Amino acid sequence: MLIVAIRTIILYSALLFTLRLMGKSELSKMSPFQLTVVFMIAELAAIPLDSIDASLFNGLIAIFMLTFLQILISFLSTKIEWFKNFVSGRPSIIIEKGRLNVKEITKQRISLTDLMEQLRIKSCSSISDIDYAIIETNGELSIITKGQEYCVIIISDGNLYDENLRFSGLDYQTFETKLRKVGITSLKDVFLALCDHNKTLHIYLKGNETFAKEIKI
């Protein structure tokens, strides 16, 4: 009985520590990969509790190894766009300018009944009132209604989002020209570039992330 209690305290402390290591953002996103890691950690923690003969040390090593892999993959996902897409997938636009994207709805295996239910939950009664409805990588449905203010990410930490660039009505050559006009010669110098609903670019340079250069498209 005492051994079980001690093991429980040790594993509880280890799990609390690993969750703190992963950070708040990891718990809020919960992509399929992150859910898999959380389930595996929970399963590994249960083994030493279910069986006294199971090695507590081996269980802790496995838990900390999974935590290390999760942190490493999260870091790589912030630096390498194709790696992030491979691990977490891409957002899916299912409604665009008031029109259903039937191909994407079919691909994501979403029934129209479920879609309409989600729209009602989001207080949207008509598809025609929606500019964009997007299934995010964590499975959440994001809705931008007509006339609603929004921003899309064009560059994040030097990585260009091609789809968002097209979404904003820009091609790469035009975008590059506009950057050069304000003295930006490399995308790697850009920490963050946003395009808002007024078709204005807000550009934050590395080393001066608090100040934004604004360019009208």
Side-chain angles (χ1 to χ4, degrees):
M1 189 73 177
L2 180 60
I3 295 176
V4 172
I6 294 173
R7 284 186 169 220
T8 301
I9 293 172
I10 293 173
L11 287 168
Y12 174 78
S13 301
L15 290 176
L16 186 61
F17 179 69
T18 57
L19 289 176
R20 293 286 291 174
L21 277 179
M22 281 195 236
K24 296 177 181 178
S25 62
E26 301 301 328
L27 299 178
S28 64
K29 296 175 189 174
M30 282 301 173
S31 67
F33 175 79
Q34 290 158 339
L35 279 173
T36 302
V37 170
V38 170
F39 288 145
M40 288 183 67
I41 289 176
E43 185 66 25
L44 287 170
I47 294 174
L49 293 179
D50 290 338
S51 175
I52 300 298
D53 296 329
S55 171
L56 177 62
F57 179 74
N58 288 343
L60 290 173
I61 290 296
I63 288 172
F64 286 123
M65 179 56 69
L66 275 176
T67 304
F68 169 75
L69 289 175
Q70 172 60 27
I71 294 172
L72 175 63
I73 288 173
S74 296
F75 173 77
L76 292 176
S77 295
T78 64
K79 300 297 181 181
I80 307 172
E81 185 62 22
W82 67 264
F83 185 79
K84 175 188 173 185
N85 293 333
F86 174 75
V87 172
S88 302
R90 293 172 177 267
S92 301
I93 299 175
I94 58 174
I95 299 176
E96 185 173 359
K97 300 296 183 181
R99 296 182 179 181
L100 290 172
N101 187 339
V102 178
K103 182 179 179 181
E104 195 62 34
I105 290 173
T106 303
K107 180 181 177 182
Q108 298 300 323
R109 298 184 297 279
I110 302 170
S111 71
L112 293 179
T113 304
D114 290 340
L115 175 59
M116 294 307 298
E117 179 182 343
Q118 288 299 314
L119 294 182
R120 290 193 297 272
I121 291 173
K122 299 287 186 176
S123 301
C124 293
S125 57
S126 175
I127 293 176
S128 60
D129 294 333
I130 299 173
D131 239 357
Y132 292 93
I134 304 166
I135 300 291
E136 306 292 355
T137 55
N138 63 358
E140 287 287 328
L141 178 66
S142 298
I143 295 176
I144 301 173
T145 56
K146 291 182 178 179
Q148 183 179 346
E149 297 182 1
Y150 64 92
C151 282
V152 293
I153 298 175
I154 306 298
I155 298 176
S156 175
D157 199 10
N159 295 309
L160 179 68
Y161 289 70
D162 295 315
E163 290 184 3
N164 290 355
L165 187 64
R166 291 191 293 271
F167 179 87
S168 301
L170 284 170
D171 57 69
Y172 179 75
Q173 187 175 1
T174 302
F175 179 64
E176 190 177 39
T177 300
K178 290 184 177 295
L179 291 182
R180 286 178 178 173
K181 286 183 178 179
V182 292
I184 302 172
T185 57
S186 173
L187 299 183
K188 297 300 180 183
D189 296 332
V190 179
F191 178 71
L192 179 66
L194 303 170
C195 182
D196 65 19
H197 63 289
N198 292 320
K199 299 299 181 182
T200 300
L201 290 171
H202 303 266
I203 301 173
Y204 299 82
L205 298 178
K206 292 181 179 179
N208 191 16
E209 292 86 351
T210 59
F211 175 75
K213 295 187 176 186
E214 296 186 357
I215 308 172
K216 192 70 178 178
I217 298 178

